[in-house]
Structure formats: structure tokens, C-alpha cells
Amino acid sequence: MGESAGLNPTIRTLTFDCTGDPYDLGLFWSELLGRPLDDDDKPGDPEALLRDPSGGPTLLFVRVPEGKSAKNRIHFDLQPQGRTRAQEVARAVSLGARQIADHTRPDGGGWVTLTDPEGNEFCVERGELG
């Protein structure tokens, strides 16, 4: 690392392509993650932005003409806070996610794979409550 450590880039934004309304997809992730949409984002806009109040990367949702054609090469692994994995999965599904696989192990480890309304995969791991 040495002298060049301060010269490395930081992740500023994670961008999601979507064919639907970026505002609608942004609302899903806003509800799921508890991050507000930018005040100037409106339905029908070509993009929508979620900022992390703690200063982490922003999430940007951008309308594109082509649909998703393959499995994501990168995805979020979410750890529930104040909920069990099952409660977090049920909450995500109630917001519009779709469960596609349950990899929960007998010892309680593992994860559940879901997709957001645009088909982007994400996983919910076991949280502090199980």
C-alpha cells in the first residue's frame, strides 16, 4: 500500500440499469434500505438517485433500452438489522421482490436469493436475530 494508498479511487456510485421507470425501482430500494430518494427525482425521470446518509456509495437507477439478459455478475448481500432473515425476506417480497432460491442451511447459516422488480439479484443473509 505505502505512499500510493491515498491515490486509489473510492466507489462513489453503484449504477443499476432498468427498462422500467427508474423512479419506481428507486422507490423499491429506498423502502428496502431505508435511504431516501433525492428530492428532485420524480416519476418518469430518466434516472433516480439514493444517497447513503452515512456517506457510503450512492445508488443510481438509469433507464436503458435493453432488458437484462444474464445473471448479475455483482450483487448485494444484505444482513438484516433488528429482524430475522425470514422477516427481512418477507418484507422484501411485500415491497415487490421475488424469492428465487433458499440456501438456508440446517445450522441457520446460508442465504436467500431474491430479485428486485427489474430482475436484479440480491441475497439476504442471517442477521443478528437469526
Side-chain angles (χ1 to χ4, degrees):
M1 303 269 281
E3 295 176 25
S4 67
L7 302 177
N8 295 322
T10 60
I11 298 172
R12 188 174 73 98
T13 303
L14 300 168
T15 302
F16 289 73
D17 293 345
C18 59
T19 56
D21 191 334
Y23 183 84
D24 290 340
L25 189 57
L27 280 178
F28 168 82
W29 285 100
S30 174
E31 287 293 321
L32 186 66
L33 299 176
R35 292 183 179 188
L37 275 167
D38 263 11
D39 290 338
D40 62 344
D41 288 328
K42 305 287 184 257
D45 285 352
E47 57 186 48
L49 187 70
L50 295 181
R51 296 193 190 278
D52 182 350
S54 65
T58 59
L59 303 182
L60 176 64
F61 304 91
V62 179
R63 183 177 297 118
V64 297
E66 68 281 348
K68 183 174 176 287
S69 62
K71 181 182 183 301
N72 292 20
R73 298 298 293 180
I74 186 171
H75 67 267
F76 293 131
D77 288 340
L78 305 178
Q79 184 179 40
Q81 302 297 312
R83 295 183 185 94
T84 66
R85 175 178 39 228
Q87 290 169 327
E88 193 63 55
V89 167
R91 188 173 81 85
V93 168
S94 77
L95 294 172
R98 186 172 61 90
Q99 182 176 326
I100 59 173
D102 187 341
H103 301 282
T104 303
R105 296 188 300 260
D107 68 359
W111 65 94
V112 175
T113 304
L114 299 104
T115 63
D116 72 10
E118 282 276 335
N120 299 302
E121 293 95 355
F122 64 99
C123 295
V124 178
E125 300 175 338
R126 179 169 60 182
E128 58 192 23
L129 300 180

